[in-house]
Amino acid sequence: MVRGVIFDLDGVLVTTDEFHYLSWKQVADAEGIYFDREINHRLRGVSRMISLEIVLERSPRQYTDAEKQTLAERKNEIYRNLLNRLGPGDALPGALPLIHDLRHAGVRIAIGSSSKNTRYIIERLQIGHLLDAVVDGNDIRHSKPDPEVFLTAAARLGLPPADCVVVEDAEAGLEAARRAGMRVVALGPAVRGLAADLWAENLAAVDCRRLLELPARGDRA
Ligand code: B16
Ligand code: MG
């Protein structure tokens, strides 16, 4: 039985994944470090500082911890400026109809995101009233692929992990969901072909009933 759905935020409910890319690209270009969309896929779902380490892999020189801190802050400043463009109505196509259908079916809704900007994004989109729990980068010690974010979300929903489904656009997120013992819907091209209970191009292609009928982990042949 599916009693809770935990949505990833960036790249699932809103196109902030593109804002992350643009911000890192600006930081990398200013440092003369090669960065492209393929590398950017590896940043999906992982924390800001781990993202920075991945960006710096292509750098010919070493950065001190203080320099890394400055780069991470610069990236976040650029990113926050891009977030200011968001408003109600900027949730990705299919996101709000699916959440409404799920709520109508009595399913509890949570967000499980690695981002420390989650609450600001929720505010910009004005979707807080649709959520029963929010767990973000400020609440956890280990980011995806560690299951902590999803286990904490299930606990805040008051549900066992086996009753929850995660919706994710990142490989790190799929692994985190599996390690949490949850069913997982993989969304978008970055995770096409990876192990998941269901894959869809975007949320508009996810049918509420199909999601609710996903077989429990132990029930599959
Ligand atoms: P911030 P998600 C993740 O959010 C992003 O996918 C990832 O690219 C980003 O580095 C991470 O949040 C941290 O974000 O810098 O805003 O704290 O996909 O888990 O919702
Ligand atoms: Mg994501």
Side-chain angles (χ1 to χ4, degrees):
M1 192 174 176
V2 176
R3 295 201 289 158
V5 174
I6 306 169
F7 289 91
D8 170 56
L9 183 64
D10 297 329
V12 167
L13 293 182
V14 62
T15 54
T16 39
D17 52 335
E18 180 66 12
F19 293 169
H20 279 296
Y21 167 71
L22 294 172
S23 317
W24 282 122
K25 178 77 179 145
Q26 203 171 312
V27 169
D29 285 353
E31 293 298 307
I33 300 168
Y34 178 78
F35 183 69
D36 63 16
R37 286 180 186 276
E38 202 52 47
I39 300 171
N40 186 60
H41 280 331
R42 294 174 54 209
L43 312 188
R44 289 175 185 272
V46 304
S47 71
R48 194 178 309 162
M49 292 314 283
I50 294 177
S51 298
L52 176 63
E53 294 296 344
I54 295 170
V55 172
L56 294 182
E57 280 173 9
R58 295 289 190 115
S59 167
R61 76 163 179 98
Q62 297 292 312
Y63 285 78
T64 64
D65 286 349
E67 286 174 323
K68 287 180 186 174
Q69 203 55 46
T70 305
L71 288 183
E73 280 163 22
R74 193 183 303 158
K75 182 267 175 178
N76 197 49
E77 219 171 282
I78 300 166
Y79 180 64
R80 291 282 294 206
N81 278 327
L82 292 172
L83 290 183
N84 288 336
R85 295 181 186 171
L86 288 177
D90 280 334
L92 278 165
L96 296 187
L98 180 62
I99 290 176
H100 282 296
D101 287 352
L102 289 167
R103 286 175 63 85
H104 190 69
V107 173
R108 284 179 230 169
I109 307 294
I111 283 182
S113 169
S114 301
S115 173
K116 294 185 171 172
N117 292 295
T118 294
R119 283 177 168 81
Y120 183 58
I121 297 168
I122 290 170
E123 210 177 284
R124 300 288 314 172
L125 298 178
Q126 292 182 21
I127 57 169
H129 61 290
L130 300 172
L131 308 171
D132 299 294
V134 175
V135 182
D136 69 17
N138 299 294
D139 302 313
I140 53 171
R141 285 194 305 143
H142 307 289
S143 82
K144 303 164 190 174
D146 191 281
E148 184 181 1
V149 69
F150 295 136
L151 290 173
T152 308
R156 288 194 188 165
L157 290 177
L159 297 173
D163 287 356
C164 296
V165 170
V166 167
V167 185
E168 258 292 349
D169 71 321
E171 187 169 4
L174 296 187
E175 187 182 332
R178 278 197 304 272
R179 283 166 63 184
M182 298 177 185
R183 284 160 278 181
V184 60
V185 176
L187 222 59
V191 288
R192 186 166 206 157
L194 299 183
D197 297 272
L198 182 70
W199 177 86
E201 185 68 47
N202 52 47
L203 283 181
V206 177
D207 178 59
C208 176
R209 187 134 27 107
R210 180 115 189 262
L211 192 153
L212 295 180
E213 286 170 359
L214 285 178
R217 297 236 126 206
D219 291 355
R220 263 164 292 160

